[in-house]
Amino acid sequence: MAWYYLIQAAYNLEALVSLCEISFRFDRKHLRFAWAPTVRGDFREMAVHHVVTNCLVLGSSYFRLTRVGSSVFIVHDVSDVPVDLSKLANFLKWKVSTALCFATMVLLWLVFRLGLLPFVIYRSVLLESHRVTTEGSIDMIYYRTYRPIFVVLIGLILLLHLAWFSMFIKMGYLLIFKGERHDLSEHKAGEAQEAITTNNTPDKTTEDDKKTN
């Protein structure tokens, strides 16, 4: 369990640092940070998710609430696999694989993140978490102080899951009815900017022909 927590803590901390690296750039002219062209479309949701997740990892480890913590880890780890596979298939322009991975992603998201997490794990936190005080895992004073914080943090995770699932529904609509394989979580400003730059770049061959004539 200790190794599992160490791996999860390292992964989530690195994910937060990586998100900041691809989302911000330092403007030397005005000496300030600005949005980078590679910023994600769901940056705010991802930033809140990573901050909340790191707080939950550190908090559950400190208070030895590893049973519920590992349950939340497993729910996320299992449902993350088809998310990454669908992104990979979409990047490779594999239409059938994208559709299959997307359908699997929606199904696992429903079962694990919108099923097990709120109705089993979160319910246990709300109604059964007091048992840790009788087992001697945590003192009653700490339990009453920090339990509301864990309840709010997990509640934020659930709200983010609902926001992402609504995004999945929109992506599925575009995929089924319009045939567009568009990842709404990725920011497209970088691609559009690149296309504009390419179009505005003068053609060297044309300029050379004009000079020759």
Side-chain angles (χ1 to χ4, degrees), residues 134-186:
T134 59
E135 296 173 356
S137 300
I138 182 175
D139 294 335
M140 178 61 73
I141 186 172
Y142 289 115
Y143 172 78
R144 291 180 177 177
T145 302
Y146 294 104
R147 177 181 177 275
I149 298 177
F150 285 102
V151 170
V152 171
L153 291 178
I154 299 178
L156 287 175
I157 293 291
L158 292 175
L159 291 177
L160 289 173
H161 289 171
L162 289 173
W164 274 315
F165 189 75
S166 64
M167 186 185 299
F168 295 160
I169 297 299
K170 186 176 181 180
M171 292 166 58
Y173 173 82
L174 295 175
L175 178 64
I176 296 173
F177 295 100
K178 295 187 178 181
E180 298 179 5
R181 292 173 289 111
H182 186 60
D183 188 355
L184 299 178
S185 66
E186 298 295 337

Side-chain angles (χ1 to χ4, degrees), residues 113-127:
R113 298 201 183 196
L114 298 182
L116 291 178
L117 183 57
F119 297 110
V120 178
I121 300 175
Y122 195 50
R123 178 181 178 275
S124 179
V125 172
L126 294 174
L127 304 178

Side-chain angles (χ1 to χ4, degrees), residues 81-94:
V81 174
V83 174
D84 295 331
L85 290 178
S86 61
K87 286 180 176 290
L88 178 61
N90 185 39
F91 177 77
L92 296 175
K93 309 299 181 183
W94 294 349

Side-chain angles (χ1 to χ4, degrees), residues 5-62:
Y5 256 81
L6 286 173
I7 293 173
Q8 288 288 343
Y11 169 77
N12 285 285
L13 183 59
E14 190 277 333
L16 179 60
V17 174
S18 178
L19 179 67
C20 294
E21 287 179 346
I22 66 174
S23 301
F24 298 103
R25 62 179 178 84
F26 184 71
D27 187 355
R28 296 182 180 179
K29 183 177 180 181
H30 300 90
L31 298 178
R32 65 179 183 180
F33 286 97
W35 294 110
T38 54
V39 62
R40 290 177 57 97
D42 60 347
F43 166 80
R44 292 173 179 83
E45 293 85 350
M46 288 298 297
V48 173
H49 181 270
H50 288 317
V51 171
V52 171
T53 302
N54 280 287
C55 291
L56 287 173
V57 172
L58 296 176
S60 61
S61 175
Y62 181 79

Side-chain angles (χ1 to χ4, degrees), residues 1 4-5 56 60 65-74 121:
M1 185 63 71
Y4 191 29
Y5 256 81
L56 287 173
S60 61
L65 303 176
T66 55
R67 182 179 300 176
V68 63
S70 59
S71 299
V72 175
F73 291 159
I74 294 175
I121 300 175

